[in-house]
Amino acid sequence: MVEHTGETKNERLTRNVSELLQELRVAQAGVQILFGFLLTVVFTDEFHEASGFEKSVHLTAVLLTVCSTVLLTAPAAWHRLLFRTGNRERILTVGNRSVLIGLGCLAAAITTTVSLIAKVVFGPIAMTVLGVVSAVLFVVMWFIVPKMIDRNSD
């Protein structure tokens, strides 16, 4: 279905860029909270007594969060650097890809963090179960449901 909004191409691009940047503000809040939590954990006594495996899982979560931060903030930086160059359409195209990959990294970072917490609190079985449940929730809600909504809009 083609949407007719009565906008010019430039007005539509401006609106789309604004919508993208607003969506990024929402996602970025979650990344910041997760990143702050992950950074503070290393300064606790309990962390120093963690196993090498647990420290590796933690570092994986930190690196996934860094990747998510970079990918989710990049479109805002690109917009700021390129907004007067007439590249809005390209910023939107590449920015959309960056955001989708960044959201994937965020989902992986949260899943990894939940898995680590489950491992420390309840052991390896809980780590596996809660990790799988978290990952499935992200995949279903962020990727499958939107496809179902799109399919049903015809």
Side-chain angles (χ1 to χ4, degrees), residues 106-120:
L106 177 58
I110 293 170
T111 298
T112 303
T113 303
V114 167
S115 298
L116 177 60
I117 292 168
K119 162 73 168 68
V120 170

PDB file of all heavy atoms in Angstrom, residues 106-120:
ATOM      1  N   LEU A 106      22.517  -5.014  20.786  1.00  0.00           N
ATOM      2  CA  LEU A 106      21.903  -4.723  22.082  1.00  0.00           C
ATOM      3  C   LEU A 106      21.170  -5.954  22.620  1.00  0.00           C
ATOM      4  O   LEU A 106      21.307  -6.309  23.794  1.00  0.00           O
ATOM      5  CB  LEU A 106      20.944  -3.541  21.977  1.00  0.00           C
ATOM      6  CG  LEU A 106      20.168  -3.171  23.240  1.00  0.00           C
ATOM      7  CD1 LEU A 106      21.108  -2.857  24.399  1.00  0.00           C
ATOM      8  CD2 LEU A 106      19.224  -2.013  22.953  1.00  0.00           C
ATOM      9  N   ALA A 107      20.400  -6.619  21.763  1.00  0.00           N
ATOM     10  CA  ALA A 107      19.700  -7.832  22.184  1.00  0.00           C
ATOM     11  C   ALA A 107      20.697  -8.891  22.644  1.00  0.00           C
ATOM     12  O   ALA A 107      20.492  -9.545  23.672  1.00  0.00           O
ATOM     13  CB  ALA A 107      18.840  -8.367  21.034  1.00  0.00           C
ATOM     14  N   ALA A 108      21.789  -9.049  21.907  1.00  0.00           N
ATOM     15  CA  ALA A 108      22.818 -10.027  22.290  1.00  0.00           C
ATOM     16  C   ALA A 108      23.491  -9.629  23.603  1.00  0.00           C
ATOM     17  O   ALA A 108      23.776 -10.485  24.448  1.00  0.00           O
ATOM     18  CB  ALA A 108      23.850 -10.169  21.175  1.00  0.00           C
ATOM     19  N   ALA A 109      23.733  -8.336  23.794  1.00  0.00           N
ATOM     20  CA  ALA A 109      24.362  -7.865  25.036  1.00  0.00           C
ATOM     21  C   ALA A 109      23.457  -8.108  26.239  1.00  0.00           C
ATOM     22  O   ALA A 109      23.918  -8.566  27.291  1.00  0.00           O
ATOM     23  CB  ALA A 109      24.700  -6.378  24.921  1.00  0.00           C
ATOM     24  N   ILE A 110      22.174  -7.810  26.085  1.00  0.00           N
ATOM     25  CA  ILE A 110      21.243  -8.028  27.188  1.00  0.00           C
ATOM     26  C   ILE A 110      21.106  -9.521  27.474  1.00  0.00           C
ATOM     27  O   ILE A 110      21.118  -9.948  28.635  1.00  0.00           O
ATOM     28  CB  ILE A 110      19.873  -7.385  26.887  1.00  0.00           C
ATOM     29  CG1 ILE A 110      20.012  -5.862  26.865  1.00  0.00           C
ATOM     30  CG2 ILE A 110      18.818  -7.817  27.916  1.00  0.00           C
ATOM     31  CD1 ILE A 110      18.788  -5.128  26.348  1.00  0.00           C
ATOM     32  N   THR A 111      20.992 -10.307  26.436  1.00  0.00           N
ATOM     33  CA  THR A 111      20.887 -11.760  26.600  1.00  0.00           C
ATOM     34  C   THR A 111      22.122 -12.315  27.297  1.00  0.00           C
ATOM     35  O   THR A 111      22.015 -13.143  28.208  1.00  0.00           O
ATOM     36  CB  THR A 111      20.679 -12.439  25.230  1.00  0.00           C
ATOM     37  OG1 THR A 111      19.448 -11.954  24.676  1.00  0.00           O
ATOM     38  CG2 THR A 111      20.641 -13.948  25.342  1.00  0.00           C
ATOM     39  N   THR A 112      23.282 -11.853  26.894  1.00  0.00           N
ATOM     40  CA  THR A 112      24.534 -12.300  27.518  1.00  0.00           C
ATOM     41  C   THR A 112      24.587 -11.890  28.982  1.00  0.00           C
ATOM     42  O   THR A 112      24.993 -12.677  29.846  1.00  0.00           O
ATOM     43  CB  THR A 112      25.740 -11.723  26.748  1.00  0.00           C
ATOM     44  OG1 THR A 112      25.643 -12.133  25.380  1.00  0.00           O
ATOM     45  CG2 THR A 112      27.056 -12.192  27.321  1.00  0.00           C
ATOM     46  N   THR A 113      24.151 -10.676  29.278  1.00  0.00           N
ATOM     47  CA  THR A 113      24.144 -10.193  30.662  1.00  0.00           C
ATOM     48  C   THR A 113      23.175 -11.000  31.521  1.00  0.00           C
ATOM     49  O   THR A 113      23.520 -11.409  32.641  1.00  0.00           O
ATOM     50  CB  THR A 113      23.784  -8.693  30.707  1.00  0.00           C
ATOM     51  OG1 THR A 113      24.714  -7.967  29.901  1.00  0.00           O
ATOM     52  CG2 THR A 113      23.818  -8.156  32.118  1.00  0.00           C
ATOM     53  N   VAL A 114      21.981 -11.242  31.012  1.00  0.00           N
ATOM     54  CA  VAL A 114      21.007 -12.057  31.745  1.00  0.00           C
ATOM     55  C   VAL A 114      21.574 -13.462  31.978  1.00  0.00           C
ATOM     56  O   VAL A 114      21.450 -14.027  33.073  1.00  0.00           O
ATOM     57  CB  VAL A 114      19.660 -12.109  30.983  1.00  0.00           C
ATOM     58  CG1 VAL A 114      18.737 -13.187  31.542  1.00  0.00           C
ATOM     59  CG2 VAL A 114      18.978 -10.752  31.018  1.00  0.00           C
ATOM     60  N   SER A 115      22.206 -14.015  30.960  1.00  0.00           N
ATOM     61  CA  SER A 115      22.810 -15.346  31.088  1.00  0.00           C
ATOM     62  C   SER A 115      23.879 -15.371  32.171  1.00  0.00           C
ATOM     63  O   SER A 115      23.946 -16.309  32.974  1.00  0.00           O
ATOM     64  CB  SER A 115      23.421 -15.783  29.753  1.00  0.00           C
ATOM     65  OG  SER A 115      22.436 -15.885  28.770  1.00  0.00           O
ATOM     66  N   LEU A 116      24.716 -14.346  32.193  1.00  0.00           N
ATOM     67  CA  LEU A 116      25.779 -14.271  33.194  1.00  0.00           C
ATOM     68  C   LEU A 116      25.197 -14.165  34.603  1.00  0.00           C
ATOM     69  O   LEU A 116      25.641 -14.856  35.525  1.00  0.00           O
ATOM     70  CB  LEU A 116      26.703 -13.081  32.916  1.00  0.00           C
ATOM     71  CG  LEU A 116      27.819 -12.859  33.934  1.00  0.00           C
ATOM     72  CD1 LEU A 116      28.729 -14.074  34.013  1.00  0.00           C
ATOM     73  CD2 LEU A 116      28.609 -11.610  33.578  1.00  0.00           C
ATOM     74  N   ILE A 117      24.208 -13.318  34.755  1.00  0.00           N
ATOM     75  CA  ILE A 117      23.579 -13.170  36.072  1.00  0.00           C
ATOM     76  C   ILE A 117      22.961 -14.503  36.510  1.00  0.00           C
ATOM     77  O   ILE A 117      23.127 -14.932  37.660  1.00  0.00           O
ATOM     78  CB  ILE A 117      22.530 -12.041  36.060  1.00  0.00           C
ATOM     79  CG1 ILE A 117      23.226 -10.690  35.893  1.00  0.00           C
ATOM     80  CG2 ILE A 117      21.671 -12.059  37.334  1.00  0.00           C
ATOM     81  CD1 ILE A 117      22.288  -9.543  35.572  1.00  0.00           C
ATOM     82  N   ALA A 118      22.280 -15.171  35.595  1.00  0.00           N
ATOM     83  CA  ALA A 118      21.676 -16.473  35.913  1.00  0.00           C
ATOM     84  C   ALA A 118      22.744 -17.487  36.295  1.00  0.00           C
ATOM     85  O   ALA A 118      22.556 -18.267  37.232  1.00  0.00           O
ATOM     86  CB  ALA A 118      20.861 -16.978  34.722  1.00  0.00           C
ATOM     87  N   LYS A 119      23.877 -17.466  35.620  1.00  0.00           N
ATOM     88  CA  LYS A 119      24.979 -18.394  35.918  1.00  0.00           C
ATOM     89  C   LYS A 119      25.513 -18.148  37.321  1.00  0.00           C
ATOM     90  O   LYS A 119      25.710 -19.079  38.099  1.00  0.00           O
ATOM     91  CB  LYS A 119      26.093 -18.217  34.882  1.00  0.00           C
ATOM     92  CG  LYS A 119      27.461 -18.763  35.246  1.00  0.00           C
ATOM     93  CD  LYS A 119      27.526 -20.272  35.190  1.00  0.00           C
ATOM     94  CE  LYS A 119      28.916 -20.834  35.271  1.00  0.00           C
ATOM     95  NZ  LYS A 119      29.608 -20.688  36.515  1.00  0.00           N
ATOM     96  N   VAL A 120      25.748 -16.894  37.652  1.00  0.00           N
ATOM     97  CA  VAL A 120      26.312 -16.558  38.961  1.00  0.00           C
ATOM     98  C   VAL A 120      25.327 -16.878  40.089  1.00  0.00           C
ATOM     99  O   VAL A 120      25.712 -17.407  41.125  1.00  0.00           O
ATOM    100  CB  VAL A 120      26.734 -15.068  38.999  1.00  0.00           C
ATOM    101  CG1 VAL A 120      27.101 -14.628  40.410  1.00  0.00           C
ATOM    102  CG2 VAL A 120      27.895 -14.829  38.044  1.00  0.00           C
TER     103      VAL A 120
END
